[in-house]
Amino acid sequence: MHATSQNPYNVDLSEEPSDEIIEDPLPDHRMPARKIMCEISRENGVVIYQSGIADEIVSYEVYDTTGACIAIFSDEQSFIDFIFSGIAGEFQIRFRTDSASYSGYIKL
């Protein structure tokens, strides 16, 4: 898509505990992470369906497919501007809250 595109991007996110959370002592008994639907658009910003965490996000992060950090934003609008700036390729995005990290892949 081009930088002028107004089409939203849909991303399947996975939830992971933050670094501060103590891991479950019985990892073999953990359920697989449930997928959370996310929409990123110029009109509505970041919408994370059925989660209630959008207002809790403290950082919006973009990584390349090798895991190298490309950009970190503390506000939603800067993140949205970056996503729609004309960058191209496949990226991992991460939304961090105080209690968890939500990540998924987006193709721009």
Side-chain angles (χ1 to χ4, degrees), residues 18-101:
S18 72
D19 295 337
E20 292 89 31
I21 293 178
I22 298 171
E23 287 295 319
D24 184 346
L26 303 171
D28 294 337
H29 295 85
R30 297 182 78 183
M31 296 295 291
R34 65 182 171 98
K35 295 292 181 186
I36 300 168
M37 285 300 304
C38 172
E39 180 182 291
I40 302 169
S41 69
R42 281 199 183 272
E43 183 176 308
N44 298 320
V46 175
V47 178
I48 302 174
Y49 296 100
Q50 300 175 339
S51 70
I53 62 102
D55 293 334
E56 300 175 16
I57 297 173
V58 295
S59 69
Y60 302 80
E61 304 174 4
V62 181
Y63 295 82
D64 68 14
T65 55
T66 67
C69 183
I70 295 173
I72 297 176
F73 305 96
S74 61
D75 67 287
E76 182 179 293
Q77 190 58 54
S78 296
F79 170 75
I80 297 297
D81 291 344
F82 181 76
I83 292 296
F84 288 94
S85 69
I87 62 171
E90 186 173 357
F91 302 94
Q92 181 186 46
I93 56 171
R94 294 182 196 161
F95 304 123
R96 294 194 190 269
T97 68
D98 290 336
S99 61
S101 174

